[in-house]
Amino acid sequence: MRFEFATATRIVFGPGTVSEAAPMAMALGQRPLVVMGREPSRAASLLDGLASHGLETLTFAVAGEPTVGRVAEGTALARAAGCDVVIAMGGGSALDAGKAIASLLANGGEPLDYLEVIGRGQPITRPSLPLVAIPTTAGTGTEVTRNAVLGSPEHGVKASLRSPLMLPTVAIVDPELTYNLPPAITASTGLDALTQCIEPFVARKANPLTDAVAREGMVRAARSLRRAYENGADMGAREDMAVASLMGGLSLANAGLGAAHGFAGPIGGMFPAPHGAICARLLPLVMATNVAALQAREPGAAVLARYDEIARLLTGRPDATAADGVQWVEELVAALHIPALGTYGVAETDFPQIVANSQLASSMQGNPIRLSDGELTAILSEAL
């Protein structure tokens, strides 16, 4: 057995902990770049705190999912202003943009120098600028992952900058920041968190540490996601989902993912579909397809027992089987009103390109069994 486990240098979790961001940043640098999401007003208290500590900040908003061009623009602005620390606050898009900018400021060059698949794939050799990551959704776990996903409209795909040197210096996870999330975002991000606990648990690089973290994440998401969706003011449910999201990030960063995320990058690059909603729609279909493929081609595989364990964790039933787990996820996806892929413009004529791109995705390589083009096409047909 050999495995690694790497994460942010420091993780601070708890209600109200966002108030600690300013003194933490002050210890790391004197000229912060603050990367924010589509609602900059949500960062008002952070900016006030930084100002009260005498820090002159440069702000940079990322309204949608980050693109190669937008990250290059933010990097150029920060370099010209002499920024020496990055604070990223928002959903996964803002955090990914902040992580990419912090890495480029330290390593030089442009995103395409380092991007997988569509870029030159050069290795990142220097640690990122000090980075404080503050999520405002409970879904991506990006605050503790070692990659940043960027879209390239020119190529019609999303690809990652990836290196252990990109891990944030500090991750501040404050459940209070998620209290006002609307139900639709609670649903899509929460199901992304659940996916990021399930897929690493059956991934090829699963290990004892990620197993323990993923199990806890699944239990918390199973008992609290629907509650958070139905009542955003349920503080216990919001805290559970913040923990589940964090644990999903810890798990995926160290064990990898699977076919649901293998699809998500290409689909998200081709269509205006939220990442979490794509993963949610595909998750039960991928689970069912993986189980069927394993039973048919590798009936003795140990990972089949893990699908039974997932079912027990999700349902709370000691006699639950993999099929029960798939049904439980299907029912949750329906209850949270996750739309079909066709809602975003996906059509059958797009399937060959999606499948071809998905087979190249790094997440697809972590799937517990290699799925054929036909199996992947069947998943898309059911998700349409």
Side-chain angles (χ1 to χ4, degrees):
M1 183 186 298
R2 182 191 184 282
F3 61 87
E4 297 181 22
F5 193 96
T7 190
T9 304
R10 183 183 181 191
I11 300 171
V12 180
F13 184 100
T17 49
V18 69
S19 64
E20 301 173 32
M24 289 182 192
M26 192 173 183
L28 298 171
Q30 296 301 309
R31 183 72 165 99
L33 169 71
V34 178
V35 181
M36 303 172 290
R38 67 173 69 249
E39 295 183 30
S41 61
R42 302 191 70 184
S45 62
L46 170 66
L47 296 174
D48 289 343
L50 293 169
S52 70
H53 282 74
L55 295 175
E56 184 182 352
T57 62
L58 172 69
T59 60
F60 184 72
V62 180
E65 296 191 353
T67 63
V68 171
R70 190 67 177 146
V71 164
E73 181 183 350
T75 303
L77 290 172
R79 183 171 287 123
C83 293
D84 56 3
V85 59
V86 177
I87 306 171
M89 182 176 183
S93 295
L95 267 58
D96 272 352
K99 288 162 66 177
I101 291 170
S103 180
L104 289 168
L105 287 172
N107 285 272
E110 60 180 9
L112 285 174
D113 290 333
Y114 307 100
L115 273 172
E116 300 172 342
V117 183
I118 60 172
R120 289 174 277 280
Q122 296 175 5
I124 291 170
T125 59
R126 297 178 181 174
S128 297
L129 248 61
L131 172 64
V132 180
I134 310 170
T136 59
T137 64
T140 65
T142 309
E143 68 274 11
V144 289
T145 63
R146 61 180 81 190
N147 70 304
V149 181
L150 307 183
S152 174
E154 177 186 353
H155 298 86
V157 298
K158 292 181 182 178
S160 284
L161 298 175
R162 190 184 309 273
S163 171
L165 299 175
M166 292 179 63
L167 285 163
T169 312
V170 182
I172 299 175
V173 184
D174 185 342
E176 290 184 353
L177 298 176
T178 69
Y179 287 179
N180 295 322
L181 288 177
I185 295 179
T186 297
S188 62
T189 57
L191 282 163
D192 190 22
L194 177 61
T195 305
Q196 291 174 174
C197 291
I198 290 176
E199 289 202 311
F201 191 67
V202 294
R204 295 177 185 272
K205 295 196 298 181
N207 66 66
L209 284 177
T210 58
D211 288 348
V213 172
R215 284 188 184 100
E216 183 70 13
M218 281 187 266
V219 169
R220 288 178 182 266
R223 75 188 183 198
S224 292
L225 177 49
R226 193 181 294 224
R227 285 167 47 203
Y229 175 78
E230 294 173 349
N231 177 15
D234 185 329
M235 292 184 288
R238 290 297 194 186
E239 183 168 271
D240 261 357
M241 288 311 302
V243 173
S245 176
L246 174 63
M247 291 185 165
L250 293 169
S251 300
L252 76 89
N254 292 282
L257 289 162
H261 276 82
F263 273 128
I267 294 173
M270 295 170 65
F271 301 94
H275 171 81
I278 299 170
C279 292
R281 181 67 178 171
L282 294 170
L283 176 60
L285 302 173
V286 167
M287 291 172 66
T289 302
N290 280 343
V291 170
L294 287 161
Q295 290 173 337
R297 301 198 289 275
E298 299 179 22
V303 72
L304 280 168
R306 287 181 170 246
Y307 278 103
D308 292 332
E309 183 176 355
I310 289 169
R312 295 192 294 271
L313 292 168
L314 296 180
T315 66
R317 289 172 35 206
D319 63 338
T321 65
D324 298 317
V326 171
Q327 181 179 354
W328 186 93
V329 175
E330 286 176 342
E331 291 174 354
L332 180 63
V333 168
L336 271 54
H337 302 288
I338 298 298
L341 295 184
T343 304
Y344 304 109
V346 181
E348 288 186 9
T349 53
D350 301 306
F351 289 178
Q353 187 63 55
I354 293 172
V355 169
N357 291 346
S358 298
Q359 289 284 31
L360 299 174
S362 59
S363 292
M364 193 66 76
Q365 315 316 311
N367 203 56
I369 186 169
R370 181 171 177 80
L371 299 178
S372 68
D373 287 359
E375 288 167 324
L376 295 179
T377 300
I379 290 172
L380 291 173
S381 295
E382 290 189 62
L384 195 58

